[in-house]
Amino acid sequence: MSADPPRIVVLRLGHRPARDRRVTTHVCLTARAFGAERAIVSTKDGGLERTVDKVVAKFGGGFAVETGVSWRKVVNDWRGAVVHLTMYGETLEDALPRIPRDEVLVIVGAQKVPGEVFNLADFNVAVGNQPHSEVAALAVFLDRFLEGDGLRRPFAGNVVIVPSRRGKTVRTRA
Ligand code: SAM
């Protein structure tokens, strides 16, 4: 992978705070851990923002989450490629070589995704053509797209987990 990693933003559509907060939190944390720089959630949810911000404050990195943003504006203003993850899309293997590696907006749904998203996206990509989860789809897409580099990035947080074969080793910065 080149010296300049792609700039990746994840857009979560259709988030319902009462119902989806746990899964949307996982979407954001997966985005962060696997190499995205930001998540945008179309519905306002202060609780979600606080939860993600706490993880970032503790474990580091520059990840940010913004909620209550018009998804149409985000998509229309986006200058790079728009990738919509959907089980109805073309296969990941077919799409990957054609997705430009500079700026990518990755869209995942919660409830039914508006039909126009399929036309606005440059790529409708399936991570297997079976229904599963936005968290799984995002993790596999980012890992394949970044060829593992997303997971290898350092985060330099106040809390650093030291890999260990057994038990938990954690270093805390003074
Ligand atoms: N029932 C919703 C619909 O009909 O659009 C989809 C719900 S699904 C749990 C939520 C999101 O997971 C989808 O919008 C899509 O982004 C993602 N997803 C689920 N399975 C996928 C797959 N096989 N490939 C890519 N994305 C997938």
Side-chain angles (χ1 to χ4, degrees):
M1 182 123 319
S2 73
D4 283 334
R7 190 180 157 234
I8 301 171
V9 174
V10 172
L11 174 60
R12 165 71 154 165
L13 295 188
H15 167 71
R16 297 153 292 186
R19 201 170 152 165
D20 300 321
R21 186 174 287 155
R22 187 173 151 79
V23 176
T24 303
T25 302
H26 290 182
V27 165
C28 294
L29 298 184
T30 299
R32 171 184 174 271
F34 282 75
E37 66 171 44
R38 199 152 65 96
I40 299 171
V41 179
S42 54
T43 319
K44 184 72 191 162
D45 188 340
L48 170 72
E49 289 183 7
R50 284 190 289 280
T51 301
V52 175
D53 288 349
K54 269 190 213 161
V55 173
V56 175
K58 184 171 175 183
F59 289 98
F63 188 83
V65 60
E66 199 182 349
T67 71
V69 181
S70 155
W71 67 262
R72 273 192 197 82
K73 182 163 166 42
V74 174
V75 174
N76 288 333
D77 290 352
W78 188 255
R79 290 166 174 273
V82 176
V83 174
H84 169 217
L85 298 182
T86 165
M87 66 178 174
Y88 303 103
E90 64 175 319
T91 65
L92 182 57
E93 286 76 13
D94 285 346
L96 269 181
R98 302 188 341 264
I99 301 175
R101 272 152 200 289
D102 41 9
E103 302 201 347
V104 182
L105 181 70
V106 184
I107 302 177
V108 294
Q111 49 189 310
K112 199 171 186 315
V113 170
E116 66 183 291
V117 172
F118 286 79
N119 293 323
L120 289 170
D122 299 304
F123 301 91
N124 291 290
V125 177
V127 179
N129 292 103
Q130 298 297 319
H132 47 79
S133 147
E134 48 275 53
V135 177
L138 182 63
V140 171
F141 174 78
L142 291 178
D143 194 50
R144 298 267 182 98
F145 183 63
L146 296 174
E147 299 170 5
D149 282 353
L151 287 175
R152 286 188 282 266
R153 286 167 314 142
F155 283 87
N158 291 323
V159 172
V160 175
I161 295 169
V162 181
S164 80
R165 288 196 169 174
R166 213 168 263 130
K168 302 176 185 176
T169 310
V170 177
R171 255 200 324 252
T172 322
R173 278 204 294 185

